[in-house]
Amino acid sequence: MCQNTDPCADFSEPTGSFEADGFVLLKRLVSPEFATLLANSLERVLRADYDTDVPPDKRPRVPKGDGILGFSGERRGVRTLQLINVWKSSSTFAQISRSPALGELVARLAGWQCGARLAQDQVWAKPPGAPPLVFHRDSPYFDFEPSDVVTVWVAIDRMQPELGPLEYVRGSHRWGDGRLGSAAQFFDSDPHALLRSAAKREGIDEASLDQLIISMEGMPAGGCSIHNGRTWHGSGPNASASAPRRGLGIHYVPASATFASGIELGKLWAPLRQPGSDKLPEAELPVVWRPSRI
């Protein structure tokens, strides 16, 4: 893949309403071939093979097994693998996370006239037998002003129903802030507990809530969703006997964003803040697209 080629330049038309639903779907963000490149690059990164010589900011232990995601065939005790800022370790991931075409699309959906800045990317990879991911919102984990966050979730694998595709709660970006959750709850035994509590505060019963849940089932490899950081979302377990479930979440904020003032920054953000300044560091949190005229 040519390093100067934007893999997101030929994306399909988004379907749905970002404003009304809190998310849109694209059958194609990148080609299936590029999705395969992402899958192959992920395997190398998991095994500490970085073509940039820089490790991700968060990574699991190097897998012992030779299978995809280190899967040995034993499903008991399998955990979801999380990596943060893979773009720093893989030029392939950097091509998509820092894509100007994707940054422009995000900015236009969000109404960010200043442009879009990459805050972080994350890989969530579920080997067969991995548990569900609790329904949550993204925005509470980003300590910036303004608080706007938009997430692009890219399917590295085709989202077959048994893999536990990502699910959204339509319109939940408009709910209040009653229940936010925490990273420690991502793998609670009841993945819908926080969601039910938040829905109840909005006067939504369980039967009505079920009607609002939209699945990414059937999304092809290379397709994506783009969601408001306030939209509730989660996913089921990987019930497949042998197939991995791999997704890339790319989080963007307005190009003009700064660190939030008057709060204690989270452990991912605090080391990036320079004394006496709320300015975001360009090397770590790069602007990926700005309009030619602001």
Side-chain angles (χ1 to χ4, degrees):
M1 177 68 66
C2 175
Q3 290 293 319
N4 295 322
T5 300
D6 189 331
C8 305
D10 191 27
F11 59 81
S12 63
E13 187 70 20
T15 60
S17 171
F18 189 81
E19 182 177 359
D21 299 333
F23 64 93
V24 295
L25 305 178
L26 286 75
K27 288 296 184 182
R28 173 191 167 114
L29 176 64
V30 297
S31 68
E33 292 77 16
F34 193 84
T36 298
L37 291 178
L38 290 172
N40 293 339
S41 180
L42 174 59
E43 289 299 312
R44 291 192 293 271
V45 170
L46 284 170
R47 289 162 176 79
D49 180 2
Y50 316 127
D51 64 23
T52 64
D53 295 325
V54 177
D57 289 340
K58 180 178 180 179
R59 52 183 169 164
R61 293 180 179 178
V62 175
K64 295 180 180 180
D66 294 330
I68 297 175
L69 304 180
F71 182 59
S72 65
E74 174 56 64
R75 293 166 53 89
R76 290 177 298 180
V78 170
R79 295 184 177 183
T80 297
L81 308 180
Q82 182 191 20
L83 299 89
I84 296 179
N85 285 331
V86 189
W87 71 270
K88 297 180 180 180
S89 308
S90 162
S91 57
T92 302
F93 277 86
Q95 280 184 269
I96 182 171
S97 295
R98 301 188 65 168
S99 160
L102 180 54
E104 180 177 5
L105 174 61
V106 165
R108 296 197 185 284
L109 285 170
W112 297 340
Q113 296 183 4
C114 59
R117 183 185 294 271
L118 172 62
Q120 185 186 86
D121 71 15
Q122 298 191 43
V123 167
W124 293 91
K126 293 184 180 181
L133 182 65
V134 164
F135 275 77
H136 63 283
R137 283 172 157 172
D138 294 336
S139 293
Y141 304 101
F142 293 85
D143 298 336
F144 305 126
E145 293 177 349
S147 60
D148 299 15
V149 178
V150 170
T151 299
V152 178
W153 193 91
V154 185
I156 298 177
D157 301 292
R158 181 176 179 83
M159 289 295 107
Q160 303 289 6
E162 67 271 16
L163 296 184
L166 191 67
E167 296 179 328
Y168 288 114
V169 182
R170 177 177 284 157
S172 59
H173 61 304
R174 297 181 174 179
W175 295 2
D177 293 331
R179 291 303 303 268
L180 300 177
S182 71
Q185 296 169 303
F186 275 157
F187 301 103
D188 280 359
S189 58
D190 183 353
H192 294 88
L194 288 173
L195 174 61
R196 286 196 299 268
S197 175
K200 185 176 181 179
R201 293 175 67 95
E202 298 296 317
I204 300 171
D205 60 30
E206 289 195 34
S208 299
L209 178 61
D210 288 343
Q211 298 299 313
L212 296 176
I213 295 178
I214 307 298
S215 174
M216 282 185 65
E217 179 180 327
M219 180 65 72
C224 80
S225 57
I226 303 177
H227 67 261
N228 187 309
R230 292 176 54 82
T231 302
W232 283 83
H233 59 286
S235 60
N238 183 351
S240 167
S242 58
R245 185 271 201 194
R246 295 164 288 191
L248 168 65
I250 315 171
H251 306 290
Y252 296 98
V253 296
S256 60
T258 62
F259 286 118
S261 58
I263 68 167
E264 181 178 352
L265 298 182
K267 62 181 180 180
L268 285 172
W269 314 119
L272 304 180
R273 188 180 205 166
Q274 297 300 311
S277 174
D278 290 332
K279 185 178 180 180
L280 302 185
E282 187 66 25
E284 300 282 345
L285 305 167
V287 172
V288 297
W289 179 79
R290 287 188 193 272
S292 55
R293 294 182 179 180
I294 298 179

